[in-house]
Amino acid sequence: MLEHDDRLITEVLNELIGDLQVPLPNLDAEYSPPDLLFPAHLIGLCVIKMFQYNLARRIDRLLMSTIARIQKKTAAFDSDYTSAFWLSNVFELLSIIKTSMTEHQSASKEYEQSERAMNDGMQYLESLLSDIYFGWIKDMQKRFAKLIIPGVVESEALPGFTASDSGFFNRLMGTGPRESTVKIENVLSFFNHIWRTMEFYYVDQAIMRQIMSELLCIIGVTAFNNIIMRRNFCSWKRGMQIQYNLTRIEEWCKAHSVSDTTRNLDRLLQLVKLLQLQKSTEQDIDIMFDVCDLLNPAQIKKLLSIYAVSDYENPIIGPVMNEVSRRASPTDKTDKMLLDSNDLSEQVLYLTARKVPAIETYIPPEFLTPRIRALVDSQTDMAYDEEDEEAMGEHVDEYNDYDAFNQGVPAANY
C-alpha cells in the first residue's frame, strides 16, 4: 500500500485537504488538539511510515503534493478560520517531521535518499508556513488599517476631554461634523477575534505573539504618521484621548500576556506624551527632548510647529521655537519625518518547531479513508505487540525510541 498504491496519496490529498471543511468555532462544542490537528498527524504518520520503509520517491511525492494542495486551499485568504487552521496544521506537520528526524539516528547510507527527501520536504514546509503567515497578515492589515485612525486617534472615549477637531474626515468630504462609528472598542474587538481564532485552532504561541506584534506595529506607524502630518490631531485634548485609547490597548495586551509587543507603540506613546507636556519655556524644551528621546529633533520641531494651542494654554513663544530649530538644525536634512512602514516582503519568519511527543491517530468518524484507517490500525497493532513484548521482558532494539514516537503513544502535552 505504501509503495505502489496511489490511492493512499489520493485519500490524503482529497479527504484530509481538498474536500476538508474547516471546523468552525462553536460555543456548544469543545475541540481538543487531535480534533483540529488530525490532518497534520495523519499526513505525518504516512510520511514516517514511508521513511521507515525507505521509500524516498513516495515521500517526495506525498509531501510535494500535500504542500501544493494546501497552498491552493489557502491562496485566497478569504477566511481567518481557514488561514489559522492551516497555519496551525502546517506548523504541526513540520514539527512532527522534524521530531521524527531528530529521533532517527542512522549512519547508514541506505537511507540517504529518504533523508534527503525528508529534509527537502521540511524546507518546503517552512516556505509554505511563511506564505500562509505573511499572506494572512497582509489581508489582516488591510482590514485592520481602516480602524486605526477613527478607532485610536479620533475616538473620544475619555469623558470631559472632547477635542474641537472631531469629524475631520467627514468635514473634509463635506458631510458635516458627523462622529465616526468606529471606536476603540472596535479595535479591541478585532484583537479579540484574531486571538480567539488562533487559540481555537491551537496556533503556536510564538506565532500568536508575532501576529499581535504585527498588528501593534501597524497601529504605531499609521497613527504616528497621520498625527505628525495633520494639525487637527496635534492638541492637548487630542493627546489625552489618544493616550487613553493606547492605555486600553496596553491593558488588553497585558491581560493576554503579550505586553512585550507594545514596544511597537513606543514612538507613538512619546509623540502623545509630547502633546501633553508644557511647551512655554526653554526648560520645558529640555524636559521634552529628555522624555521623548525616541523622537528625532526634526519630528519634535514639526509637532511643535503644527501644535494647536488651546485658550487655557500658554502660547509657544518665538524663543522656544528658535531653540527647537537650533537643536534640529544639525540633523535636519537626514532625520526622517515619517516612520517606515512594516514591509512584509522583506521579512523572514523565524520559528522553532516544537517537539511532538507522539503522533495522534484520531480520524473523524465521518471521513471515508479506508487506506489511512488501515495504516492507523496496523500502527496500533504494532504498538500493542511491543507492549506485550516488553511485559514479557523481551529484547528491545536500538530503534525503540524512534519507533515509540511513531506508534501513537498518547501525547502528554499540548
Side-chain angles (χ1 to χ4, degrees):
M1 179 172 67
L2 288 170
E3 187 171 2
H4 302 294
D5 192 350
D6 287 340
R7 287 174 294 182
L8 174 64
I9 295 179
T10 300
E11 274 187 10
V12 169
L13 298 180
N14 292 339
E15 296 294 329
L16 298 184
I17 305 172
D19 298 333
L20 175 66
Q21 297 297 316
V22 172
L24 300 179
N26 186 346
L27 295 177
D28 298 327
E30 290 188 9
Y31 290 85
S32 65
D35 293 327
L36 296 169
L37 299 175
F38 66 89
H41 281 260
L42 294 177
I43 295 169
L45 174 63
C46 293
V47 170
I48 290 169
K49 294 302 289 184
M50 289 176 179
F51 181 81
Q52 287 177 338
Y53 287 97
N54 200 16
L55 304 176
R57 290 185 179 180
R58 302 292 284 180
I59 293 169
D60 184 71
R61 181 177 175 185
L62 176 57
L63 284 176
M64 294 304 103
S65 299
T66 294
I67 290 167
R69 188 63 63 92
I70 295 175
Q71 202 163 34
K72 183 178 180 180
K73 191 85 171 179
T74 59
F77 296 103
D78 54 0
S79 166
D80 290 328
Y81 302 134
T82 299
S83 298
F85 176 82
W86 285 113
L87 184 69
S88 186
N89 269 277
V90 170
F91 181 77
E92 187 76 359
L93 178 56
L94 175 63
S95 298
I96 287 169
I97 295 176
K98 282 198 171 184
T99 301
S100 72
M101 294 306 290
T102 301
E103 298 291 338
H104 169 79
Q105 297 183 7
S106 172
S108 172
K109 290 187 176 181
E110 180 184 358
Y111 279 79
E112 186 174 346
Q113 292 297 323
S114 292
E115 288 173 353
R116 183 178 293 114
M118 295 285 270
N119 289 327
D120 288 346
M122 285 190 286
Q123 290 183 7
Y124 284 113
L125 282 170
E126 288 174 349
S127 178
L128 175 62
L129 188 70
S130 291
D131 288 345
I132 297 173
Y133 173 85
F134 288 115
W136 189 25
I137 284 290
K138 287 179 181 178
D139 174 74
M140 205 184 297
Q141 286 184 342
K142 287 178 184 177
R143 291 176 283 138
F144 185 58
K146 300 174 183 178
L147 304 177
I148 294 174
I149 300 306
V152 177
V153 179
E154 291 188 323
S155 177
E156 298 184 315
L158 188 62
F161 293 91
T162 303
S164 60
D165 51 53
S166 300
F168 169 75
F169 287 117
N170 291 320
R171 291 200 305 274
L172 186 67
M173 299 300 294
T175 57
R178 246 179 349 195
E179 189 176 355
S180 172
T181 58
V182 177
K183 306 293 183 184
I184 184 60
E185 285 74 18
N186 297 96
V187 174
L188 301 179
S189 293
F190 190 93
F191 283 175
N192 285 329
H193 166 68
I194 296 299
W195 187 265
R196 289 168 184 167
T197 298
M198 293 190 293
E199 277 192 327
F200 177 78
Y201 291 109
Y202 296 97
V203 173
D204 183 75
Q205 287 289 325
I207 298 178
M208 293 174 68
R209 298 177 79 85
Q210 281 193 239
I211 286 177
M212 294 313 304
S213 181
E214 298 284 1
L215 292 178
L216 290 176
C217 184
I218 191 175
I219 289 178
V221 172
T222 303
F224 185 101
N225 290 344
N226 273 269
I227 293 170
I228 201 170
M229 298 305 293
R230 295 184 176 175
R231 182 182 299 273
N232 65 299
F233 288 158
C234 292
S235 67
W236 182 79
K237 282 188 175 181
R238 177 61 59 193
M240 292 292 290
Q241 292 288 356
I242 299 172
Q243 179 68 58
Y244 174 78
N245 293 335
L246 292 177
T247 299
R248 295 281 303 276
I249 292 173
E250 288 179 311
E251 289 172 350
W252 187 96
C253 291
K254 183 178 180 180
H256 292 79
S257 302
V258 288
S259 294
D260 57 314
T261 62
T262 58
R263 65 183 182 277
N264 292 307
L265 301 176
D266 284 350
R267 283 183 171 81
L268 176 59
L269 285 165
Q270 288 198 2
L271 180 154
V272 173
K273 184 67 176 177
L274 185 145
L275 297 180
Q276 300 170 66
L277 292 173
Q278 293 289 333
K279 309 169 185 65
S280 55
T281 68
E282 291 191 16
Q283 185 180 5
D284 294 337
I285 298 175
D286 292 333
I287 296 173
M288 196 182 305
F289 274 81
D290 183 50
V291 172
C292 305
D293 59 313
L294 294 179
L295 306 184
N296 63 50
Q299 290 169 337
I300 294 176
K301 177 184 174 183
K302 173 67 175 178
L303 287 166
L304 292 183
S305 70
I306 63 174
Y307 182 79
V309 179
S310 301
D311 295 338
Y312 47 81
E313 291 183 279
N314 293 323
I316 302 176
I317 57 178
V320 170
M321 284 305 302
N322 291 338
E323 174 61 17
V324 172
S325 298
R326 185 189 68 78
R327 297 192 186 196
S329 179
T331 57
D332 203 28
K333 294 182 179 180
T334 57
D335 282 345
K336 288 185 176 181
M337 193 69 64
L338 302 179
L339 300 184
D340 292 331
S341 60
N342 195 15
D343 189 356
L344 295 176
S345 63
E346 298 180 358
Q347 290 192 24
V348 178
L349 181 64
Y350 293 105
L351 287 174
T352 302
R354 76 182 189 91
K355 183 176 180 179
V356 181
I359 293 181
E360 294 288 347
T361 55
Y362 169 75
I363 304 176
E366 68 274 14
F367 275 50
L368 302 175
T369 54
R371 285 158 190 82
I372 296 175
R373 287 185 187 279
L375 191 65
V376 168
D377 290 342
S378 67
Q379 189 78 354
T380 304
D381 291 341
M382 288 175 60
Y384 286 146
D385 289 344
E386 285 216 351
E387 286 178 5
D388 292 342
E389 289 178 3
E390 288 180 8
M392 295 172 64
E394 293 191 15
H395 176 67
V396 179
D397 65 31
E398 62 180 336
Y399 294 105
N400 184 65
D401 289 341
Y402 179 69
D403 291 339
F405 164 74
N406 299 318
Q407 287 165 9
V409 180
N413 296 305
Y414 267 98

